[in-house]
């Protein structure tokens, strides 16, 4: 799994800060690796590409420390490092697992193609950005039969305020069920030309917050107690 959070950019004269993107990346990595209700990825199989070494929220800082302690790889959110980690994680994903790639950053669309910005990207300079198609291609070439790609980016991001301990549970039954399922799911914060938003109260992107809530069973669950992709997508769409 790879989680990218780009808060600040070298092209800071053009690109505004994305205030909670590092928190978004860390919080998603934590829930996928260390929340026993989810626990789809072992921490040593997690990589984070972050533009800053530390999230803003104290809880996210503690989560990052725990991820590091458990063997997660931490690197800068530069274009070359993101592509390097993406290729490395794609090669490590096995056929019985799931490949997760999450982006929290700026993005833009051009002629129907979407581009995601690394910390050293220049706006509208295509060679410095990361084409979404490149990400999907690398994910498709991995051995993993299942992939989940939440993308919390858009052409612009603007601030917007909005007004229990996990139950211990083995993830093994879920992993066995996943062996019967194949497919790739991409969840977008915004359509082409639209905006994603930040929640200053929660200190996450609005989209990422909805994904986190959905994964923590606020999306509901089926008879087996599992959150399905359709349930997750529906709760993200409503939020």
């Amino acid at each position: 799994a790879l989680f990218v959070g780009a808060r600040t950019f070298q092209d800071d004269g053009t690109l505004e800060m994305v205030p909670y993107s590092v928190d978004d990346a860390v919080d998603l990595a934590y829930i996928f690796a260390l929340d026993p209700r989810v626990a789809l990825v072992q921490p040593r199989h997690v990589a984070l590409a972050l533009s800053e070494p530390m999230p803003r929220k104290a809880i996210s800082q503690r989560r990052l420390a725990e991820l590091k302690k458990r063997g997660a790889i931490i690197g800068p959110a530069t274009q070359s490092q993101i592509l390097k980690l993406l290729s490395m994680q794609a090669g490590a994903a096995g056929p019985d697992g799931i490949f997760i790639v999450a982006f929290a950053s700026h993005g833009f669309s051009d002629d129907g193609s979407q581009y995601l910005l690394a910390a050293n990207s220049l706006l509208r300079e295509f060679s410095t950005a990361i084409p979404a198609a490149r990400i999907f291609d690398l994910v498709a070439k991995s051995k993993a039969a299942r992939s989940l790609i939440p993308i919390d980016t858009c052409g612009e991001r603007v601030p917007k305020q909005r007004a229990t301990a996990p139950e211990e549970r083995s993830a093994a039954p879920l992993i066995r069920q996943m062996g019967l399922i194949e497919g790739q799911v991409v969840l977008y914060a915004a359509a082409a030309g639209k905006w994603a938003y930040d929640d200053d109260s929660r200190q996450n992107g609005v989209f990422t917050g909805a994904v986190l809530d959905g994964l923590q069973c606020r999306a509901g669950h089926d008879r087996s107690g599992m959150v399905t992709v359709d349930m997750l997508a529906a709760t993200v769409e409503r939020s």
Side-chain angles (χ1 to χ4, degrees), residues 8 19 24 41 47 54 83 125 158 162 181 206 216 232:
T8 56
D24 289 345
V41 183
M54 197 62 64
L83 292 173
E125 291 292 338
V158 295
R162 291 181 54 173
I181 301 170
V206 171
Q216 292 174 311
L232 179 60

Side-chain angles (χ1 to χ4, degrees), residues 138-175:
L138 284 169
V139 171
K141 289 179 179 177
S142 75
K143 294 180 181 180
R146 293 153 295 277
S147 59
L148 176 64
I149 309 173
I151 298 179
D152 197 350
T153 70
C154 65
E156 299 286 340
R157 282 177 74 114
V158 295
K160 183 176 181 180
Q161 278 196 332
R162 291 181 54 173
T164 67
E167 179 183 354
E168 291 294 336
R169 171 182 177 181
S170 170
L174 177 56
I175 297 299

Side-chain angles (χ1 to χ4, degrees), residues 205-225:
V206 171
F207 168 83
T208 296
V211 173
L212 291 167
D213 288 346
L215 289 170
Q216 292 174 311
C217 295
R218 295 177 193 174
H221 51 77
D222 63 13
R223 291 182 179 179
S224 68

Side-chain angles (χ1 to χ4, degrees), residues 83-177:
L83 292 173
K84 177 182 177 181
L85 289 173
L86 185 59
S87 296
M88 182 179 72
Q89 296 300 88
D96 294 327
I98 183 170
F99 190 16
I100 301 165
V101 181
F103 266 81
S105 179
H106 275 299
F108 65 90
S109 299
D110 185 80
D111 277 342
S113 298
Q114 186 179 21
Y115 296 84
L116 311 177
L117 300 191
N120 61 340
S121 296
L122 303 176
L123 186 62
R124 300 293 175 183
E125 291 292 338
F126 302 117
S127 63
T128 68
I130 299 173
R134 174 63 173 156
I135 297 170
F136 301 151
D137 182 55
L138 284 169
V139 171
K141 289 179 179 177
S142 75
K143 294 180 181 180
R146 293 153 295 277
S147 59
L148 176 64
I149 309 173
I151 298 179
D152 197 350
T153 70
C154 65
E156 299 286 340
R157 282 177 74 114
V158 295
K160 183 176 181 180
Q161 278 196 332
R162 291 181 54 173
T164 67
E167 179 183 354
E168 291 294 336
R169 171 182 177 181
S170 170
L174 177 56
I175 297 299
R176 286 197 293 269
Q177 281 192 324

Side-chain angles (χ1 to χ4, degrees), residues 4 12-13 32 35 69 86 119 135 149 191 194 205 220 223 235 237:
V4 179
D12 56 3
F32 276 113
D35 187 328
K69 180 181 176 181
L86 185 59
I135 297 170
I149 309 173
K194 302 298 183 180
R223 291 182 179 179
T235 196
E237 179 71 17

